[in-house]
Coordinates of all heavy atoms in Angstrom, one line a residue:
E1 N 136.7 -39.0 175.5 CA 135.5 -39.8 175.1 C 134.4 -38.9 174.6 O 133.7 -39.3 173.7 CB 135.1 -40.6 176.4 CG 133.9 -41.5 176.2 CD 133.6 -42.3 177.4 OE1 134.4 -42.4 178.3 OE2 132.5 -42.9 177.4
R2 N 134.2 -37.8 175.3 CA 133.0 -37.0 174.9 C 133.3 -36.4 173.5 O 134.3 -35.9 173.1 CB 132.9 -35.8 175.9 CG 131.6 -35.1 175.7 CD 131.6 -33.7 176.3 NE 132.5 -32.8 175.5 CZ 132.9 -31.6 175.9 NH1 132.6 -31.2 177.1 NH2 133.7 -30.8 175.2
I3 N 132.2 -36.4 172.6 CA 132.3 -35.8 171.3 C 130.9 -35.3 170.9 O 129.9 -36.0 171.2 CB 132.9 -36.8 170.3 CG1 133.0 -36.2 168.9 CG2 132.0 -38.1 170.2 CD1 133.7 -37.0 167.9
S4 N 130.9 -34.2 170.2 CA 129.6 -33.7 169.7 C 129.4 -34.3 168.3 O 130.4 -34.3 167.5 CB 129.6 -32.2 169.6 OG 129.8 -31.6 170.9
V5 N 128.2 -34.7 168.0 CA 127.9 -35.2 166.6 C 126.8 -34.4 166.1 O 125.7 -34.3 166.7 CB 127.5 -36.7 166.7 CG1 127.2 -37.2 165.3 CG2 128.6 -37.6 167.3
G6 N 127.0 -33.8 164.9 CA 126.0 -33.0 164.3 C 125.4 -33.7 163.1 O 126.2 -34.2 162.2
R7 N 124.1 -33.8 163.0 CA 123.5 -34.4 161.8 C 123.9 -35.8 161.5 O 123.9 -36.2 160.4 CB 123.7 -33.5 160.6 CG 122.6 -33.5 159.5 CD 122.8 -32.4 158.5 NE 121.8 -32.5 157.4 CZ 122.0 -33.0 156.2 NH1 123.2 -33.6 156.0 NH2 121.1 -33.0 155.3
G8 N 124.4 -36.5 162.6 CA 124.8 -37.9 162.4 C 126.0 -38.0 161.6 O 126.2 -39.1 161.0
Q9 N 126.9 -37.0 161.6 CA 128.1 -37.1 160.7 C 129.3 -36.5 161.4 O 129.1 -35.6 162.3 CB 127.9 -36.5 159.4 CG 127.5 -35.0 159.4 CD 126.8 -34.6 158.1 OE1 125.8 -35.1 157.7 NE2 127.4 -33.5 157.5
Y10 N 130.5 -36.9 161.0 CA 131.7 -36.3 161.5 C 132.3 -35.4 160.4 O 132.0 -35.5 159.2 CB 132.7 -37.4 161.8 CG 132.3 -38.3 162.9 CD1 132.6 -39.7 162.8 CD2 131.8 -37.8 164.1 CE1 132.2 -40.6 163.9 CE2 131.4 -38.7 165.2 CZ 131.6 -40.0 165.0 OH 131.3 -40.9 166.1
V11 N 133.2 -34.5 160.8 CA 134.0 -33.7 159.8 C 135.3 -34.4 159.5 O 136.0 -34.8 160.4 CB 134.2 -32.3 160.4 CG1 135.0 -31.4 159.4 CG2 132.9 -31.6 160.8
L12 N 135.6 -34.5 158.2 CA 136.9 -35.0 157.8 C 138.0 -34.0 158.1 O 137.8 -32.8 158.0 CB 136.9 -35.4 156.4 CG 136.1 -36.7 156.0 CD1 135.9 -36.8 154.5 CD2 136.8 -37.9 156.5
D13 N 139.2 -34.5 158.4 CA 140.3 -33.7 158.8 C 141.0 -33.2 157.5 O 142.0 -33.8 157.1 CB 141.3 -34.5 159.7 CG 142.5 -33.7 160.1 OD1 142.5 -32.5 159.9 OD2 143.4 -34.3 160.7
F14 N 140.5 -32.1 157.0 CA 141.1 -31.5 155.8 C 142.4 -30.8 156.1 O 143.0 -30.3 155.1 CB 140.1 -30.6 155.1 CG 139.3 -31.3 154.1 CD1 138.7 -32.5 154.3 CD2 139.0 -30.7 152.8 CE1 137.9 -33.2 153.3 CE2 138.3 -31.3 151.9 CZ 137.7 -32.6 152.1
A15 N 142.8 -30.8 157.3 CA 144.2 -30.3 157.6 C 145.2 -31.4 157.2 O 146.4 -31.1 157.1 CB 144.4 -30.0 159.1
N16 N 144.8 -32.6 157.0 CA 145.6 -33.7 156.6 C 145.6 -33.8 155.1 O 144.6 -34.2 154.4 CB 145.0 -35.0 157.2 CG 145.9 -36.2 156.9 OD1 146.8 -36.2 156.1 ND2 145.6 -37.3 157.6
P17 N 146.7 -33.6 154.4 CA 146.8 -33.7 152.9 C 146.3 -35.0 152.4 O 145.8 -35.1 151.3 CB 148.2 -33.4 152.6 CG 148.7 -32.7 153.8 CD 148.0 -33.2 154.9
A18 N 146.5 -36.1 153.1 CA 146.1 -37.5 152.6 C 144.6 -37.6 152.5 O 144.1 -38.2 151.7 CB 146.7 -38.5 153.6
V19 N 143.9 -36.9 153.4 CA 142.4 -36.9 153.4 C 141.9 -36.2 152.2 O 141.1 -36.7 151.4 CB 141.8 -36.3 154.7 CG1 140.3 -36.1 154.6 CG2 142.3 -37.0 155.9
V20 N 142.5 -35.0 151.9 CA 142.1 -34.2 150.7 C 142.4 -35.0 149.5 O 141.5 -35.1 148.6 CB 142.9 -32.9 150.7 CG1 142.6 -32.1 149.4 CG2 142.5 -32.0 151.9
D21 N 143.5 -35.7 149.4 CA 143.9 -36.4 148.2 C 142.9 -37.6 148.0 O 142.5 -37.9 146.9 CB 145.3 -36.9 148.3 CG 145.9 -37.3 147.0 OD1 145.8 -36.4 146.1 OD2 146.5 -38.3 146.9
G22 N 142.6 -38.3 149.1 CA 141.7 -39.4 149.1 C 140.3 -39.1 148.5 O 139.7 -39.8 147.7
I23 N 139.8 -38.0 149.1 CA 138.5 -37.5 148.6 C 138.5 -37.0 147.2 O 137.6 -37.3 146.4 CB 137.9 -36.4 149.5 CG1 137.7 -36.9 150.9 CG2 136.7 -35.8 149.0 CD1 136.7 -38.0 151.1
F24 N 139.6 -36.4 146.8 CA 139.7 -35.9 145.4 C 139.7 -37.1 144.4 O 139.0 -37.1 143.4 CB 141.0 -35.2 145.2 CG 141.4 -35.0 143.7 CD1 140.6 -34.2 142.9 CD2 142.5 -35.6 143.2 CE1 140.9 -34.1 141.6 CE2 142.8 -35.5 141.9 CZ 142.1 -34.7 141.1
H25 N 140.4 -38.2 144.7 CA 140.4 -39.3 143.8 C 139.0 -40.0 143.7 O 138.6 -40.5 142.6 CB 141.5 -40.3 144.2 CG 142.9 -39.8 143.9 ND1 143.3 -39.7 142.6 CD2 143.9 -39.4 144.6 CE1 144.6 -39.3 142.5 NE2 144.9 -39.1 143.8
A26 N 138.3 -40.0 144.8 CA 137.0 -40.6 144.8 C 136.0 -39.7 143.9 O 135.2 -40.2 143.1 CB 136.4 -40.7 146.2
M27 N 136.1 -38.4 144.1 CA 135.3 -37.5 143.3 C 135.7 -37.5 141.8 O 134.8 -37.5 140.9 CB 135.4 -36.1 143.9 CG 134.8 -35.9 145.3 SD 134.9 -34.2 145.9 CE 133.8 -33.3 144.8
K28 N 137.0 -37.5 141.6 CA 137.5 -37.5 140.2 C 136.9 -38.7 139.4 O 136.6 -38.5 138.2 CB 139.0 -37.6 140.2 CG 139.7 -37.6 138.9 CD 141.2 -37.7 138.9 CE 141.8 -37.9 137.6 NZ 143.3 -38.0 137.7
K29 N 136.8 -39.8 140.0 CA 136.3 -41.0 139.3 C 134.9 -40.8 138.9 O 134.5 -41.1 137.7 CB 136.4 -42.2 140.2 CG 136.0 -43.5 139.5 CD 136.2 -44.7 140.5 CE 135.8 -46.0 139.8 NZ 136.0 -47.2 140.6
I30 N 134.1 -40.2 139.7 CA 132.7 -39.9 139.4 C 132.6 -38.8 138.3 O 131.8 -39.0 137.4 CB 131.9 -39.5 140.7 CG1 131.8 -40.7 141.7 CG2 130.5 -39.1 140.3 CD1 131.0 -41.9 141.2
I31 N 133.4 -37.8 138.5 CA 133.3 -36.7 137.5 C 133.7 -37.2 136.1 O 133.0 -36.8 135.1 CB 134.3 -35.5 138.0 CG1 133.8 -34.9 139.3 CG2 134.4 -34.5 136.9 CD1 134.9 -34.0 140.0
A32 N 134.7 -38.0 136.1 CA 135.2 -38.5 134.8 C 134.2 -39.5 134.2 O 133.8 -39.4 133.0 CB 136.5 -39.1 134.9
E33 N 133.6 -40.4 135.0 CA 132.7 -41.4 134.5 C 131.4 -40.8 134.0 O 130.8 -41.3 133.0 CB 132.4 -42.4 135.7 CG 131.5 -43.5 135.3 CD 131.2 -44.5 136.4 OE1 131.8 -44.3 137.5 OE2 130.4 -45.4 136.2
T34 N 131.0 -39.7 134.6 CA 129.7 -39.1 134.2 C 129.9 -37.9 133.2 O 128.9 -37.4 132.8 CB 129.0 -38.6 135.5 OG1 129.8 -37.6 136.1 CG2 128.6 -39.7 136.4
K35 N 131.1 -37.6 132.9 CA 131.4 -36.4 132.1 C 130.6 -35.2 132.7 O 129.8 -34.5 132.0 CB 131.0 -36.6 130.7 CG 131.8 -37.7 130.0 CD 131.4 -37.8 128.5 CE 132.3 -38.8 127.8 NZ 132.4 -40.2 128.3
L36 N 130.8 -35.0 134.0 CA 130.0 -34.1 134.8 C 130.1 -32.6 134.4 O 131.2 -32.2 134.0 CB 130.4 -34.3 136.3 CG 129.4 -33.8 137.3 CD1 128.1 -34.6 137.2 CD2 129.9 -34.0 138.7
D37 N 129.0 -31.9 134.4 CA 129.0 -30.5 134.1 C 128.9 -29.6 135.3 O 129.3 -28.4 135.2 CB 127.7 -30.2 133.2 CG 127.7 -31.1 132.0 OD1 128.5 -30.9 131.0 OD2 126.8 -32.1 132.0
Y38 N 128.5 -30.1 136.4 CA 128.1 -29.2 137.5 C 128.2 -30.0 138.8 O 127.8 -31.2 138.9 CB 126.6 -28.9 137.2 CG 125.9 -27.9 138.1 CD1 125.5 -26.6 137.6 CD2 125.5 -28.2 139.4 CE1 124.8 -25.7 138.4 CE2 124.7 -27.3 140.2 CZ 124.4 -26.1 139.6 OH 123.7 -25.2 140.4
I39 N 128.7 -29.4 139.8 CA 128.7 -30.0 141.2 C 128.0 -29.0 142.1 O 128.2 -27.8 142.1 CB 130.2 -30.2 141.7 CG1 130.8 -31.4 141.0 CG2 130.2 -30.4 143.2 CD1 132.3 -31.7 141.4
K40 N 127.2 -29.6 143.0 CA 126.7 -28.9 144.1 C 127.4 -29.4 145.3 O 127.3 -30.5 145.7 CB 125.2 -29.1 144.3 CG 124.6 -28.3 145.5 CD 123.1 -28.4 145.7 CE 122.7 -27.7 146.9 NZ 121.2 -27.8 147.1
W41 N 128.3 -28.5 145.9 CA 129.2 -28.8 147.0 C 128.6 -28.4 148.3 O 128.5 -27.2 148.5 CB 130.5 -28.1 146.7 CG 131.6 -28.3 147.7 CD1 131.6 -28.3 149.1 CD2 133.0 -28.5 147.4 NE1 132.8 -28.5 149.6 CE2 133.7 -28.6 148.6 CE3 133.8 -28.5 146.2 CZ2 135.1 -28.7 148.7 CZ3 135.1 -28.7 146.3 CH2 135.8 -28.8 147.5
D42 N 128.2 -29.3 149.1 CA 127.5 -29.0 150.3 C 128.4 -29.2 151.5 O 129.5 -29.9 151.5 CB 126.3 -29.9 150.5 CG 125.2 -29.2 151.3 OD1 125.4 -28.1 151.9 OD2 124.0 -29.6 151.2
M43 N 128.1 -28.6 152.7 CA 128.8 -28.7 153.9 C 127.8 -28.4 155.0 O 127.5 -27.3 155.3 CB 130.0 -27.8 154.0 CG 131.0 -28.0 155.1 SD 130.5 -27.3 156.7 CE 130.9 -25.6 156.4

């Protein structure tokens, strides 16, 4: 039951390939739609 929450957010389980793939497809859509030049990748 106990869990620490930082900055009001959870960490996604990037040990799971399905998570990585799901995030990639969401980002890919934005990158393609905007013809993006630059990403600021935060964590």
Side-chain angles (χ1 to χ4, degrees):
E1 183 177 344
R2 191 201 71 191
I3 183 171
S4 303
V5 179
R7 208 168 177 262
Q9 61 198 55
Y10 297 138
V11 181
L12 286 169
D13 182 6
F14 267 45
N16 183 347
V19 175
V20 174
D21 201 49
I23 296 300
F24 165 66
H25 285 292
M27 294 179 69
K28 177 182 175 181
K29 185 176 180 181
I30 295 294
I31 296 168
E33 184 180 356
T34 58
K35 297 181 173 60
L36 200 60
D37 305 287
Y38 185 111
I39 284 178
K40 182 176 179 180
W41 179 319
D42 209 346
M43 192 276 285

